Amino acid sequence: EAGVAQSPRYKIIEKRQSVAFWCNPISGHATLYWYQQILGQGPKLLIQFQNNGVVDDSQLPKDRFSAERLKGVDSTLKIQPAKLEDSAVYLCASSLVQGARAEQYFGPGTRLTVT
Amino acid sequence: GQQVMQIPQYQHVQEGEDFTTYCNSSTTLSNIQWYKQRPGGHPVFLIQLVKSGEVKKQKRLTFQFGEAKKNSSLHITATQTTDVGTYFCAPLRDDKIIFGKGTRLHILP
C-alpha cells in the first residue's frame, strides 16, 4: 500500500512570496489533515477535510493560508504572502475514517524555509 | 482549557536502560494516541488508549492509561538505538487530536 505522498520535499522562498504544497493521501482515505510543525514542537493542526469538505480550519491563518481538496482526493495548501515565522515542516496526514479516534498516516512533509 | 504536559522534554539513556515518558492532563481525557517521530522523519502512529486503566504492550513498549484517564505513560524496556526519536502523546480534545511537545529520546551507545 502506497503511503501519503507530498511534494515538494523542500522549499526555500523569500518573505512575501507565495508557495504551494501538494498532498496525495492513501487511496480510500476520506479524511485529510494539514499540520504545521515548527522545529522542536509537536504538529499543529491547520485544517481537516472530510472528502472535499472542511471539517475544521479553526487554526488556519486565513489571511494568508488557504487549502483545498480537489474531488475529495488530492489537496493543496497555499501560503500567500509568506512570513519568516512560516518556516516549518508542513505535514499532510490521512485517515480511513473520520474522527479524532482514527489512526493518522503521515506523509514525509515539506520543509519550508522563509528568508 | 485542557492542559496537557509531557515530561521529560529530553532524555538521554544508555543503550539497554529503560525509558519512560509521561503525559499528564488537568482534565479527564476520552482517549489518547501515541506517535513516534524519528529524527528528520514524520510521526508514526504507535497506539491508541481508550479505557480507564488500560495497558497495552508492543514488544518492548508498554503503554498505560491512568485509572482516572488524566495521565498516560509509555515505557520502553531495554532501549535500543532504533528507539531514538521523539515520542508524542496526542490526547483527544474537542474531537481533535492535539499533539504535545513530545519527549526526545537520545540513546548513548
Side-chain angles (χ1 to χ4, degrees), chain A residues 59-79:
Chain A
Q59 298 195 92
L60 187 73
K62 299 180 186 62
D63 57 332
R64 297 184 301 106
F65 285 65
S66 65
E68 61 179 1
R69 190 177 183 192
L70 306 173
K71 300 180 181 178
V73 182
D74 292 6
S75 178
T76 55
L77 175 70
K78 296 179 182 177
I79 307 176

Side-chain angles (χ1 to χ4, degrees), chain A residues 1-17:
Chain A
E1 177 182 82
V4 176
Q6 288 188 249
S7 68
R9 293 294 310 277
Y10 305 92
K11 190 74 176 178
I12 301 174
I13 61 172
E14 295 182 353
K15 59 183 179 183
R16 291 187 289 274
Q17 284 188 324

Side-chain angles (χ1 to χ4, degrees), chain B residues 44-92:
Chain B
V44 175
F45 175 84
L46 294 176
I47 206 87
Q48 176 167 258
L49 305 172
V50 179
K51 299 178 183 176
S52 168
E54 189 169 16
V55 178
K56 288 188 176 180
K57 292 190 176 183
Q58 290 179 352
K59 296 182 180 179
R60 296 179 293 104
L61 276 60
T62 302
F63 303 84
Q64 289 189 314
F65 204 5
E67 292 291 341
K69 299 183 75 173
K70 287 187 175 182
N71 54 69
S72 180
S73 66
L74 158 58
H75 179 83
I76 303 177
T77 303
T79 54
Q80 300 175 359
T81 55
T82 53
D83 296 325
V84 165
T86 301
Y87 293 85
F88 292 99
C89 68
L92 179 66

